[in-house]
């Protein structure tokens, strides 16, 4: 384990510096409306500021009628194909779909059998990391946080690339395909190293075998005995498909596009996606939902009872329970209103496995939260807008059913979303030649410089 670094900056010094910082960093709330600032890049009605055009993905949760936002059932489409149709077809035909989605998002069309086969071959060829990478970059200096280790590993891969800074499309496509294949390998290696370094458990680095779907590969590598059922792999495949992209405006994809627009290298741009996704308001929300669920199960005698769950959720909203922020995790979305299609699909496909695995009570608790939260937000917070369950309400339980450790919840999201980041980076490079550069209005008053001896 890496030795602990004790910061030479004392708490006393910090508290005095924070006093200075606080004095000079406040901005009147009214100034934001005075200067018509689009806070969070949102319009007055909460819709996102239009920042670009994309052919890759569409996220629909409302429509505008006579200038008013009208709620509708959510729809997520990849390259024009409804994700619901893609997943329903995969379930019906009992086949894996994530690799098909990789092809669709990157190249724009559904792959033929031959194209899909060639993609499997490329992924197989790229799964392994460079010689000694695991020893030199992952085992040394382990991290408590797998997302942190993954981001660092991606940055390190820059120095193993003979042509890292070339941003022509063939080179970026090569780098993207390599990273899409390598990220699950990095994730598992980082997790195994954490098990050993922080939990005192054995580290399993199973040899890589070819011919597996990404879902099978992940379950095989992360399980000590390498065993999993086809039903489990198909549920993980659905999770990967649902997390592969969510339009150009989601925080991590936008971050990737922002860095791409500066002309930087693939490793830097993709690392930005990791840094963003780790945040609890974005990909990290699945961990928050799990923590909230565990707390409810510990404190509510019968969480499947509507009255009892309501009482506890009121406490969470009033900041007397939960993480103290007053948020019911797994509920609400910036775009979706009546429903988040990802939550609807997960709920439908996870129920049977959850019941089989003995998580019936947990599943019913989530359904209860989904049912009562919109009314509570209205009664207690006066929120008029429609609030629905988002993808994170059910994703944590799916991972639990799959016996996936909590350490891997957000990293799994990243293993899927890297496909979207790559597709958007390639689109940014082919369709835009302008650096993304919004404006910040300065609200500082003008001051004359004062020489140091006169202050
Ligand atoms: N619990 C409590 N309050 C919520 C809420 C929730 N789950 N969802 C929305 N609200 C509140 C917001 O805080 C906001 O209050 P304010 O006007 O006092 O600031 C109001 O409802 C309207 O919010 P809205 O415009 O719908 O949301 P947003 O676009 O600003 O934020 C989320 C969307 C996802 C960040 C928000 O719904 C949330 O924090 N949800 C819980 C975290 C979560 O599950 N994240 C995963 C998203 S996939």
């Amino acid at each position: 384990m890496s030795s602990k670094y004790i910061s030479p900056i004392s708490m006393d010094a910090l508290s005095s510096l924070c006093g200075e910082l606080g004095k000079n960093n406040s901005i009147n709330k009214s100034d934001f409306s005075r200067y018509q600032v689009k806070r969070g890049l949102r319009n007055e009605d909460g819709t996102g500021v239009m920042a670009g055009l994309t052919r890759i993905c569409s996220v629909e949760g409302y429509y505008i009628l006579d200038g008013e936002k009208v709620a509708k059932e959510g729809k997520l489409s990849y390259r024009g194909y409804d994700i619901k149709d893609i997943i329903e077809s995969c379930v019906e035909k009992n086949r894996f779909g994530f690799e098909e989605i990789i092809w669709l998002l990157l190249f724009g069309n559904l792959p033929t059998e031959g194209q899909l086969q060639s993609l499997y071959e490329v992924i197989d060829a790229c799964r392994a990391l460079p010689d000694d990478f695991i020893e030199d970059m992952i085992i040394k200096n382990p991290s408590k946080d797998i997302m942190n280790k993954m981001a660092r590993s991606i940055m390190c891969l820059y120095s193993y690339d003979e042509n890292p800074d070339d941003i022509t499309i063939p080179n970026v496509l090569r780098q993207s395909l390599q990273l899409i294949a390598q990220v699950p390998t990095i994730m598992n290696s980082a997790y195994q190293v954490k098990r050993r370094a922080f939990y005192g458990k054995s580290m399993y680095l199973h040899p890589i075998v070819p011919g597996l779907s990404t879902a099978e590969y992940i379950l095989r590598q992360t399980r000590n005995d390498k065993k999993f059922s086809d039903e489990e792999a198909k549920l993980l495949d659905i999770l990967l498909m649902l997390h592969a992209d969510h339009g150009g405006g989601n925080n991590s994809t936008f971050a990737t596009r922002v860095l791409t627009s500066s002309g930087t290298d693939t490793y830097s741009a993709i690392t930005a996606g990791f840094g963003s996704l780790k945040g609890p308001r974005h990909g990290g929300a699945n961990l928050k939902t799990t923590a909230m669920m565990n707390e409810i199960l510990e404190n509510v005698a019968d969480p499947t009872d509507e009255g009892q769950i309501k009482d506890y959720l009121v406490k969470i909203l009033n900041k007397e329970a939960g993480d103290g922020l007053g948020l019911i995790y797994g509920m609400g979305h910036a775009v979706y209103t009546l429903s988040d299609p990802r939550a609807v699909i997960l709920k439908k496909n996870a129920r049977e496995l959850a019941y089989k695995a003995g998580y019936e009570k947990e599943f019913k608790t989530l359904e209860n939260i989904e049912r009562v939260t919109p009314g509570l937000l209205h009664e207690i917070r006066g929120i008029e807008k429609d609030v629905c369950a988002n993808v994170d309400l059910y994703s944590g339980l799916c991972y639990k059913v799959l016996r996936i450790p909590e350490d891997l919840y957000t990293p799994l999201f990243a293993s899927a979303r890297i496909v979207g980041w790559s597709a958007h980076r390639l689109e940014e490079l082919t369709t835009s030649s302008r650096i993304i550069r919004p404006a910040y209005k300065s609200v500082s008053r003008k001051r004359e410089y004062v020489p140091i001896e006169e202050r």
Side-chain angles (χ1 to χ4, degrees):
M1 198 189 307
S2 49
S3 57
K4 205 170 161 202
Y5 173 75
I6 314 263
S7 172
I9 306 174
S10 72
M11 281 312 289
D12 282 352
L14 261 184
S15 101
S16 133
L17 287 172
C18 287
E20 282 296 306
L21 195 144
K23 270 191 265 170
N24 302 311
N25 270 322
S26 65
I27 293 179
N28 289 333
K29 271 203 166 155
S30 58
D31 280 351
F32 287 96
S33 37
R34 185 169 157 215
Y35 294 114
Q36 293 171 19
V37 175
K38 309 282 190 204
R39 293 186 86 178
L41 290 181
R42 308 292 182 89
N43 300 307
E44 280 285 291
D45 61 0
T47 57
V49 168
M50 194 69 74
L53 300 175
T54 181
R55 281 190 185 278
I56 300 165
C57 178
S58 142
V59 182
E60 299 163 52
Y62 55 83
Y63 60 96
I64 304 290
L65 183 68
D66 295 334
E68 297 284 323
K69 192 173 152 190
V70 184
K72 67 170 206 168
E73 298 295 339
K75 190 171 165 186
L76 171 64
S77 318
Y78 293 161
R79 298 282 187 178
Y81 297 100
D82 192 329
I83 186 71
K84 187 168 157 271
D85 296 338
I86 302 177
I87 292 180
E88 270 175 13
S89 166
C90 288
V91 171
E92 194 191 309
K93 303 253 162 62
N94 191 28
R95 51 191 287 271
F96 291 100
F98 180 61
E99 285 65 26
E100 185 166 326
I101 279 176
I102 297 177
W103 184 282
L104 177 64
L105 290 173
L106 289 180
F107 304 113
N109 273 323
L110 293 168
T112 61
E113 289 278 1
Q115 287 168 332
L116 194 57
Q117 185 52 38
S118 67
L119 179 66
Y120 264 93
E121 284 164 18
V122 168
I123 290 177
D124 272 347
C126 296
R127 282 276 189 233
L129 293 163
D131 287 347
D132 300 330
F133 188 90
I134 294 181
E135 288 84 343
D136 293 344
M137 299 298 169
I138 301 185
I139 294 181
K140 281 188 189 151
N141 197 7
S143 178
K144 285 196 280 290
D145 188 279
I146 309 302
M147 286 293 280
N148 168 273
K149 192 71 190 186
M150 289 169 86
R152 281 198 272 155
S153 302
I154 302 280
M155 281 305 269
C156 292
L157 282 170
Y158 175 100
S159 39
Y160 289 77
D161 191 329
E162 285 186 348
N163 195 16
D165 286 309
D166 174 357
I167 58 166
T168 58
I169 296 304
N171 196 50
V172 173
L173 182 59
R174 169 187 68 79
Q175 293 170 326
S176 303
L177 288 166
Q178 283 175 204
L179 287 178
I180 288 168
Q182 285 167 337
V183 156
T185 311
I186 296 174
M187 171 184 78
N188 182 55
S189 312
Y191 170 64
Q192 297 298 336
V193 170
K194 178 178 176 182
R195 273 170 59 97
R196 168 96 186 257
F198 294 95
Y199 302 149
K201 291 185 177 170
S202 302
M203 194 167 83
Y204 292 90
L205 293 170
H206 303 308
I208 296 171
V209 294
L212 300 181
S213 66
T214 302
E216 292 172 302
Y217 176 67
I218 291 171
L219 287 178
R220 183 185 183 277
Q221 297 305 103
T222 53
R223 292 201 174 163
N224 301 357
D225 63 3
K226 300 184 247 173
K227 291 195 179 118
F228 57 88
S229 70
D230 184 56
E231 216 181 1
E232 289 175 315
K234 293 280 164 47
L235 178 61
L236 182 56
D237 184 57
I238 291 177
L239 281 151
L240 294 171
M241 286 195 265
L242 288 175
H243 284 94
D245 196 26
H246 212 226
N250 73 81
N251 197 283
S252 57
T253 304
F254 192 59
T256 308
R257 288 194 87 129
V258 169
L259 266 79
T260 298
S261 78
S262 81
T264 193
D265 68 280
T266 297
Y267 302 95
S268 301
I270 296 297
T271 304
F274 273 91
S276 154
L277 193 74
K278 180 172 173 289
R281 288 190 197 159
H282 192 14
N286 54 24
L287 281 176
K288 286 280 191 180
T289 313
T290 303
M292 181 186 83
M293 171 80 165
N294 292 341
E295 185 185 315
I296 289 174
L297 292 173
E298 269 171 35
N299 292 287
V300 179
D302 181 7
T304 61
D305 175 86
E306 208 165 294
Q308 293 189 35
I309 198 88
K310 259 189 180 175
D311 291 344
Y312 204 79
L313 293 177
V314 169
K315 283 190 190 167
I316 292 181
L317 287 175
N318 289 335
K319 304 181 181 174
E320 294 154 4
D323 65 0
L325 294 178
L327 288 175
I328 298 175
Y329 290 97
M331 295 297 300
H333 194 269
V335 180
Y336 297 128
T337 52
L338 298 184
S339 60
D340 174 341
R342 302 167 302 172
V344 176
I345 293 169
L346 268 191
K347 187 176 168 183
K348 182 172 160 209
N349 288 282
R351 185 191 301 268
E352 203 181 313
L353 257 181
Y355 279 33
K356 238 201 242 173
Y359 292 117
E360 187 174 337
K361 183 173 159 191
E362 283 80 353
F363 198 89
K364 287 187 168 159
T365 302
L366 293 177
E367 282 185 302
N368 227 356
I369 295 173
E370 179 178 1
R371 207 167 26 245
V372 305
T373 300
L376 288 179
L377 284 173
H378 178 66
E379 277 165 41
I380 297 184
R381 290 275 172 82
I383 290 167
E384 296 296 337
K385 67 171 276 186
D386 297 278
V387 173
C388 61
N390 64 50
V391 66
D392 289 320
L393 191 68
Y394 292 98
S395 66
L397 183 59
C398 291
Y399 294 138
K400 199 168 181 169
V401 167
L402 293 174
R403 294 186 281 123
I404 287 171
E406 284 184 19
D407 278 314
L408 296 182
Y409 287 10
T410 317
L412 272 173
F413 189 162
S415 301
R417 185 57 59 85
I418 188 171
V419 180
W421 297 333
S422 305
H424 283 272
R425 172 166 165 76
L426 285 159
E427 188 178 57
E428 186 72 28
L429 288 171
T430 36
T431 61
S432 173
S433 54
R434 251 195 157 169
I435 187 163
I436 297 175
R437 205 274 180 219
Y440 272 69
K441 170 157 184 63
S442 167
V443 289
S444 264
R445 62 187 167 80
K446 291 226 171 350
R447 295 193 279 182
E448 288 302 320
Y449 181 76
V450 182
I452 196 159
E453 59 282 4
E454 292 173 28
R455 287 173 214 163

